[in-house]
Amino acid sequence: MLVGISTFAFFLCVAKTVVGSPNFIIFFADDVGYGDFQSFGHPTQEKGPIDVMGDEGMRFTSWYSGDSICTPSRASLLTGRLPIRIGVVGPNRVFWQWDQGGLPKSEITIAEALQQQGYATGMVGKWHLGINEKVANDGGHLPMHHGFEYVGTNYPYGQNWKCDPKKFSTAEMSEKCFKYKNSTFVQQPTDMINSTFEMVEDAKDFIMRNKNQPFFLYMPFLQAHCTLFCSPGFCGSSRRGIYGDNINEMSWAVGEVLDTVKRHSIQENTLAIFISDNGPQLEMCVDGGSSGFLKGGKGSTWEGGIRMPAFAWWPGTIPAGEVNHEVVSTVDIYATLLELAGGNADEDDVTRDSKSISGVLRNESPSPHEFLFHYCSDRLMAVRYGEYKISYVTQMRTTDFTDFCYEGVPDDDRITNLRCYDDTVVSHDPPLIFNTDEDPAEEHPLNPARHGLMLSHVNEAVRRHKATIVPTRSVLGLKNAALQPCCNYPACVCNYEHPYESQQKSEL
């Protein structure tokens, strides 16, 4: 991939291999909530390898996502920027399978930045940052165009509630349910029964191939987005039901990958982080996740939509069994990994929101953030400042999902907080103020008259922040029906056992 030298000004431009540079693994769950793990307080969820990451490493209580919904959250992780800065905003809020837009190629992802530091880069799992660009099946927005040289089993659109063969026909499933290897179709519609196992095998293969050089593995899971599924070894494994089965299966996958790291004796040179992209889809009732005692879920900037379960693991470097209360964000992954890899981030770049938390991971320093800014699309909703959360705009959320909890077919309107500007969104003047240390459930707003100086300080920070936002054309909602993925036109149905030859498995 050829990129202008000036584009790379924020990090060392000459590719190099830094002996001793740590390996990085980012596990990224889908719609998993703050209360979905035993170590975060769920009373019936079984303990698994994800919880063990906290026993052997660090658990974070105030880790915030880059957005409250899927596509923009993923964009913020890979670019270190808030979605508003890169055009990942708009009424739809996510890429649809037929959109011609994608993660802007002008953005230097963390994978591309680490390649310049001599890292091998790999990805398996859910993408959801664009598919085709000019013609059907050109794969112009897929991961290999954003710095991932190894791409195993991947789901360009993720998985959707239509990917349920018990409720939908093959034709209905084919529209949104498909699996790739690199840029080549494997299945349409998707059979997800073995998907976690296949992702794990690809992740192991990537680690084995690159165990003697620094590597970056990005592993975004399908769990626990609807439709819920489970492999035979995990169906019925949880007291919590099918959702708990999903958590157990995902946790097993994390354990398998970390065990591979241990088997190759590279654990003391490997940083692994587990987080979720956004809060749970509460409208799915028992088939959705849990925000615990936090208010709200997916789509909202209430704490339940943006405050994530998070674990960091790096034996010998991260203190074992630590619970960290510092306020950090998914956008910080960019600067953190780049710094640890020996890169040189431009600290004067106000358009990159990422800050290194390497000192936080070692329990040696406080959060580098004075403020975190939380958006719904291009609308600033709230600001986190120390222990305070200042909400200028909130989304109304019903707490009664009786009408949703039935054995039937859902639809896209089941997420009640997709909108950022309609009559379900409420502005507050003066804003709502919560002490999220004392009141993480956001039940008891503070009296703004007693916090005038603090509000003035935050309002000035908002003014300065907004001055750094450059209007950018939205890359979402650019529908082109001709770009609908179709592996065997016009049938759009396929199941290829050996889709390509370039990445055949090697013996472990």
Side-chain angles (χ1 to χ4, degrees):
M1 180 177 179
L2 298 178
V3 183
I5 291 296
S6 61
T7 308
F8 287 86
F10 68 93
F11 62 84
L12 299 179
C13 299
V14 179
K16 62 181 181 179
T17 298
V18 181
V19 177
S21 297
N23 308 308
F24 304 121
I25 302 174
I26 302 298
F27 300 112
F28 206 42
D30 194 1
D31 289 5
V32 170
Y34 193 84
D36 272 331
F37 296 102
Q38 185 184 109
S39 53
F40 274 82
H42 198 285
T44 57
Q45 183 63 57
E46 292 75 17
K47 183 175 182 177
I50 294 174
D51 300 286
V52 174
M53 284 183 71
D55 294 342
E56 298 178 352
M58 184 175 287
R59 179 168 62 87
F60 287 83
T61 64
S62 296
W63 187 298
Y64 286 85
S65 62
D67 199 272
S68 62
I69 203 164
C70 183
T71 287
S73 175
R74 291 158 199 274
S76 69
L77 183 157
L78 292 178
T79 67
R81 301 188 200 272
L82 291 173
I84 189 175
R85 298 195 190 276
I86 56 178
V88 186
V89 294
N92 289 347
R93 296 189 69 186
V94 299
F95 288 116
W96 293 87
Q97 76 276 12
W98 48 58
D99 279 358
Q100 69 183 42
L103 183 67
K105 293 179 182 177
S106 58
E107 289 296 317
I108 306 303
T109 67
I110 185 58
E112 291 169 313
L114 290 174
Q115 277 184 323
Q116 293 298 306
Q117 299 302 122
Y119 275 67
T121 57
M123 180 265 179
V124 296
K126 176 177 176 176
W127 180 240
H128 208 179
L129 289 170
I131 306 176
N132 298 314
E133 185 175 14
K134 297 178 181 178
V135 297
N137 300 336
D138 67 14
H141 293 300
L142 293 179
M144 70 289 300
H145 298 294
H146 293 281
F148 293 100
E149 59 200 49
Y150 177 105
V151 183
T153 301
N154 69 96
Y155 300 80
Y157 189 65
Q159 57 106 334
N160 184 266
W161 48 269
K162 278 193 173 181
C163 302
D164 187 345
K166 297 186 296 294
K167 297 180 180 178
F168 296 93
S169 68
T170 296
E172 290 173 308
M173 292 171 62
S174 293
E175 182 185 33
K176 295 184 178 181
C177 311
F178 33 83
K179 178 169 65 175
Y180 283 45
K181 286 275 191 175
N182 201 351
S183 60
T184 305
F185 266 105
V186 178
Q187 287 182 332
Q188 187 178 17
T190 310
D191 179 358
M192 295 183 294
I193 296 300
N194 294 318
S195 59
T196 307
F197 175 81
E198 293 167 354
M199 287 167 54
V200 166
E201 289 302 297
D202 285 345
K204 289 180 178 181
D205 181 53
F206 173 77
I207 293 170
M208 184 279 300
R209 290 169 182 256
N210 298 287
K211 63 182 183 294
N212 295 321
Q213 69 176 102
F215 65 77
F216 166 53
L217 173 63
Y218 174 48
M219 193 171 183
F221 288 101
L222 297 179
Q223 290 93 355
H225 195 280
C226 61
T227 289
L228 299 179
F229 66 95
C230 56
S231 301
F234 294 95
C235 294
S237 66
S238 178
R239 292 176 59 201
R240 191 178 171 189
I242 183 64
Y243 191 93
D245 294 343
N246 271 239
I247 296 297
N248 287 343
E249 183 165 337
M250 177 175 60
S251 195
W252 166 83
V254 168
E256 287 291 299
V257 173
L258 296 184
D259 283 347
T260 301
V261 169
K262 294 175 182 177
R263 187 164 65 250
H264 292 298
S265 301
I266 55 175
Q267 66 271 23
E268 293 190 356
N269 198 40
T270 301
L271 166 63
I273 296 174
F274 177 95
I275 45 177
S276 181
D277 61 347
N278 47 251
Q281 189 172 346
L282 301 178
E283 297 86 348
M284 296 306 293
C285 309
V286 295
D287 285 350
S290 170
S291 297
F293 48 78
L294 302 180
K295 181 181 293 186
K298 179 177 182 176
S300 80
T301 52
W302 294 108
E303 290 289 279
I306 56 176
R307 194 166 178 170
M308 300 294 99
F311 305 83
W313 179 90
W314 189 354
T317 298
I318 292 179
E322 290 287 331
V323 178
N324 193 297
H325 303 292
E326 295 295 324
V327 176
V328 295
S329 171
T330 296
V331 297
D332 297 329
I333 285 175
Y334 191 104
T336 305
L337 302 195
L338 186 56
E339 179 188 86
L340 292 171
N344 183 21
D346 183 357
E347 295 181 357
D348 295 326
D349 183 1
V350 296
T351 69
R352 196 172 298 280
D353 305 284
S354 184
K355 298 180 184 296
S356 175
I357 58 169
S358 61
V360 178
L361 292 173
R362 295 186 177 97
N363 212 19
E364 295 174 349
S365 62
S367 170
H369 292 283
E370 184 177 12
F371 305 97
L372 286 181
F373 300 95
H374 303 296
Y375 280 82
C376 179
S377 186
D378 59 353
R379 188 174 196 177
L380 181 65
M381 306 287 281
V383 178
R384 177 71 192 255
Y385 169 57
E387 68 267 38
Y388 296 103
K389 171 111 167 272
I390 297 89
S391 290
Y392 298 94
V393 186
T394 58
Q395 292 136 302
M396 292 189 294
R397 171 174 282 283
T398 176
T399 57
D400 181 5
F401 294 111
T402 303
D403 291 340
F404 291 114
C405 298
Y406 63 96
E407 294 295 330
V409 177
D411 58 57
D412 289 330
D413 291 330
R414 290 191 74 179
I415 306 176
T416 59
N417 281 320
L418 280 178
R419 305 291 176 242
C420 306
Y421 287 96
D422 66 8
D423 57 6
T424 67
V425 182
V426 181
S427 297
H428 303 279
D429 186 15
L432 300 178
I433 306 172
F434 298 97
N435 185 317
T436 51
D437 283 352
E438 297 178 354
D439 179 27
E442 297 172 287
E443 296 288 349
H444 309 290
L446 303 176
N447 185 348
R450 298 182 180 179
H451 296 275
L453 288 177
M454 185 265 285
L455 279 179
S456 295
H457 183 55
V458 173
N459 289 338
E460 174 59 20
V462 169
R463 185 194 66 77
R464 294 195 306 269
H465 165 73
K466 286 186 173 181
T468 71
I469 304 295
V470 178
T472 304
R473 178 175 176 268
S474 173
V475 295
L476 297 177
L478 306 176
K479 181 177 179 179
N480 181 349
L483 299 183
Q484 166 70 42
C486 180
C487 66
N488 186 22
Y489 187 83
C492 301
V493 176
C494 63
N495 188 2
Y496 303 132
E497 184 176 358
H498 300 295
Y500 64 105
E501 299 295 330
S502 61
Q503 291 185 12
Q504 291 298 309
K505 299 287 189 299
S506 301
E507 291 293 329
L508 290 178

